[in-house]
Amino acid sequence: SKEKFDTFSIAITMEEFFESELFDNAFNKVLKAYPANQKIRQINTIRPKLSKLIKQMKYINPIRRIGIDAVHKKYIKILKSLN
């Protein structure tokens, strides 16, 4: 379905960003600028959760692939865990 195709496409984009050297460099620069800020440190703790979500979005078999509504719910839950 179109929804599952969109989910796959979004996963590729998210993976390119969150798993990139560019993200690591930017994160490390911000961390150096604000070493005492716990919120910034927490960002790194959600990376495993994001990786798991991306994996669910990238299943080759669209029947097993998570839908966009479920992605949205899980993404919001991951972001709320930063609070």
Side-chain angles (χ1 to χ4, degrees):
S1 75
K2 184 180 184 307
E3 175 187 313
K4 299 288 180 122
F5 179 76
D6 289 345
T7 303
F8 188 87
S9 300
I10 294 167
I12 299 301
T13 303
M14 289 175 66
E15 184 176 55
E16 286 293 317
F17 177 72
F18 288 115
E19 302 297 329
S20 72
E21 189 175 322
L22 180 64
F23 180 85
D24 290 336
N25 290 341
F27 177 77
N28 288 330
K29 286 180 183 179
V30 171
L31 191 57
K32 284 180 185 176
Y34 303 98
N37 189 317
Q38 292 301 314
K39 292 278 186 193
I40 294 169
R41 291 186 179 281
Q42 285 181 319
I43 291 170
N44 222 22
T45 65
I46 66 170
R47 285 180 85 176
K49 294 174 187 176
L50 287 172
S51 292
K52 182 178 177 182
L53 177 59
I54 290 167
K55 184 178 178 182
Q56 293 172 336
M57 295 166 67
K58 282 181 47 184
Y59 280 126
I60 297 299
N61 181 347
I63 294 169
R64 291 190 63 210
R65 193 177 308 148
I66 189 171
I68 198 74
D69 290 334
V71 168
H72 182 254
K73 288 177 186 173
K74 287 185 178 210
Y75 188 72
I76 294 299
K77 186 177 178 181
I78 289 168
L79 292 180
K80 285 182 177 181
S81 74
L82 290 174
N83 294 331

